[in-house]
Amino acid sequence: MEKIKKYRADMALGRILAIYWVVLIQHNFAPYHPDWAWVGNGQYFIFDRVLDFTSYITLLTMPLCFFISGFILHKTGGLYKESNFLFFCINKVKRLYVPCVLFGSIFELIYNGKISWQCLIGFKHLWFISYLFLYFIVSYFLLRNMTILKIVGVILGTLVLRTLLKHYDLPVLGIMTYYIWFLLGILVAKKEDMFHKYDKFYFIGFCFFYLLKIFQIRIGGGTEKGDFLYEIFAVFSLLKILAVISDKIKKYKVFKLLDETSYGVYIFHMIFLYVFYYILKNVIGEQYMIDNEVVLTSILAIFTVPFSIISTLLLQQTKILKL
C-alpha cells in the first residue's frame, strides 16, 4: 500500500479559492438574477458588468472542487483495498450525507416552509455535497484495486456513457460530468510526477483554448468540447500556480482558518444569505435593494462569510458533526 501523503497546501488553497468564488461571486450576486428571483425585477447588473471575465473563472469552480476531492481521497489512502468499508462509509456519512440532509432540511424549512424529499439529494446548493458522497461510495467499490488501467477505463466508460445520453435531459448527466473530474483527480494523484512533466504544455493549452473562447471559436460545432478542454488545461495550469503561492502563505493562521472552515462556509452561507435578503426585502423594500445593489451585495458578503465561519467553528467544537 502507498504511504499516506502529508497535508497538501496547494490543494487546500485551490479548494478555498473555488468555494469563496462560488460564495462571494456566483451566489452573492445571483439573488438578483431572474432564475433566483429573491429580489423581484432584479437585473443582475453587477455580474453582467464583468461577465466576460467572471464566466471563465466560474467554469472552473466546481470542476476544481471535484478534482481536488478525488486527488485528496487518493492521497489520504481512502480507496486502498486494505481500507475498512464500514469505517470509510461511516466517516463519509458523518462528514457529507448527514450535514447535507440536516442543513438541507433546515434551509428548505426556512425557504419553503416545509421539508420534502429534496433534502435527501441536496437542497439547492447542497447538491454538491450529495454528489461527493455518491462519488466516494461508488469509487470505493469500483476503484479499490486502483490500477491506472482501471481508473482510465472508468473515466472513458463514464465519458462514453455521458456522450450517448447527452441529447436527453437527464439529471444523471451532471452526475457523470463531475464524476469524470473526480476521477481525474484520483488519476493525477496516482501519477502526479508523470503529470508534472507536462506543466508547460498545460499552460500553452490553456492559452490556446482561452483565446478560442474569447473569439468565440467553436470546436466540433459546439461549445461543450471547447469548454471541457479549456477547463482541463486551466485547472492543471492553476494548480501549478497554486503550488507556488501556497508554499509562501501556508504558515499564516488566516490560511489555516479559511482551510478548516471552507467546507462549513459552503454549507452555511446560503442559509444566512437567504435570511439576510428576506429581512432586507421586508425592511427596506425591493426597489431600494435594486437601486443600491452594489452596496447591499458588498454588505451581505461581509456579513455572510463571518457568520458562516463562526457557525462552522461552533459546530466543530461540539464534535457532533465533522465539518
Side-chain angles (χ1 to χ4, degrees):
M1 188 178 79
E2 295 184 31
K3 293 182 180 180
I4 294 177
K5 304 295 182 180
K6 62 181 181 180
Y7 171 76
R8 292 294 298 262
D10 54 340
M11 295 297 162
L13 180 58
R15 181 174 57 245
I16 292 169
L17 292 178
I19 287 178
Y20 273 86
W21 182 268
V22 171
V23 171
L24 297 176
I25 302 297
Q26 292 175 243
H27 289 172
N28 194 45
F29 294 155
Y32 284 86
H33 195 284
D35 290 344
W36 285 43
W38 290 6
V39 179
N41 300 315
Q43 299 300 314
Y44 209 37
F45 284 141
I46 305 173
F47 205 60
D48 284 342
R49 289 175 190 144
V50 289
L51 186 58
D52 289 339
F53 165 69
T54 58
S55 62
Y56 300 134
I57 301 178
T58 298
L59 276 174
L60 306 179
T61 53
M62 300 318 296
L64 182 59
C65 284
F66 286 112
F67 177 92
I68 290 173
S69 296
F71 186 97
I72 296 301
L73 176 62
H74 172 75
K75 289 299 186 181
T76 54
L79 286 181
Y80 295 136
K81 61 183 179 181
E82 291 84 359
S83 296
N84 182 285
F85 174 69
L86 182 60
F87 175 79
F88 178 84
C89 189
I90 291 175
N91 182 54
K92 298 309 174 188
V93 167
K94 185 177 180 180
R95 178 166 173 77
L96 295 172
Y97 195 63
V98 171
C100 176
V101 174
L102 175 61
F103 296 110
S105 300
I106 294 173
F107 186 28
E108 187 178 12
L109 185 62
I110 297 172
Y111 194 89
N112 290 329
K114 62 178 182 180
I115 298 176
S116 70
W117 60 270
Q118 292 185 50
C119 66
L120 298 176
I121 59 173
F123 184 70
K124 295 296 184 182
H125 66 301
L126 296 177
W127 66 268
F128 167 64
I129 310 299
S130 65
Y131 276 27
L132 269 184
F133 176 72
L134 175 64
Y135 296 163
F136 281 124
I137 301 302
V138 170
S139 296
Y140 184 89
F141 290 105
L142 289 180
L143 302 172
R144 274 186 292 177
N145 301 311
M146 286 199 306
T147 64
I148 293 297
L149 184 61
K150 178 180 285 190
I151 299 172
V152 172
V154 176
I155 290 175
L156 292 177
T158 306
L159 189 59
V160 169
L161 183 60
R162 190 198 180 286
T163 301
L164 293 174
L165 297 174
K166 69 178 183 179
H167 297 297
Y168 302 94
D169 187 18
L170 300 172
V172 72
L173 292 177
I175 295 175
M176 288 189 288
T177 297
Y178 290 122
Y179 189 46
I180 292 172
W181 279 103
F182 186 83
L183 293 170
L184 284 173
I186 295 176
L187 179 62
V188 172
K190 183 76 173 176
K191 287 293 182 179
E192 189 175 4
D193 292 338
M194 182 188 76
F195 278 94
H196 276 316
K197 294 179 181 179
Y198 305 97
D199 285 338
K200 293 181 180 179
F201 173 72
Y202 303 141
F203 184 72
I204 293 173
F206 161 68
C207 293
F208 174 73
F209 286 104
Y210 180 72
L211 291 174
L212 289 185
K213 291 187 66 61
I214 289 178
F215 293 106
Q216 298 182 346
I217 300 174
R218 297 185 176 185
I219 298 177
T223 60
E224 186 174 355
K225 292 180 181 177
D227 284 348
F228 183 62
L229 292 172
Y230 163 77
E231 290 166 5
I232 287 180
F233 286 111
V235 166
F236 281 25
S237 300
L238 179 61
L239 290 174
K240 183 64 177 179
I241 297 172
L242 294 179
V244 176
I245 297 175
S246 62
D247 190 54
K248 298 181 181 300
I249 66 173
K250 62 183 180 182
K251 61 183 179 181
Y252 296 108
K253 291 183 179 180
V254 66
F255 177 79
K256 183 179 180 181
L257 174 66
L258 293 177
D259 179 29
E260 293 178 345
T261 58
S262 60
Y263 176 55
V265 167
Y266 183 85
I267 291 176
F268 287 118
H269 83 277
M270 188 71 79
I271 300 174
F272 286 117
L273 191 63
Y274 180 75
V275 170
F276 291 150
Y277 266 98
Y278 181 82
I279 293 173
L280 289 174
K281 183 177 178 180
N282 286 276
V283 173
I284 64 178
E286 286 187 342
Q287 190 56 50
Y288 184 87
M289 296 178 72
I290 294 173
D291 295 338
N292 298 274
E293 56 186 10
V294 175
V295 175
L296 285 176
T297 51
S298 299
I299 292 175
L300 289 174
I302 293 172
F303 279 95
T304 300
V305 170
F307 270 77
S308 299
I309 290 177
I310 292 171
S311 299
T312 302
L313 293 174
L314 290 175
L315 190 61
Q316 289 174 343
Q317 291 297 318
T318 66
K319 300 187 184 301
I320 297 175
L321 293 176
K322 184 180 178 182
L323 292 183

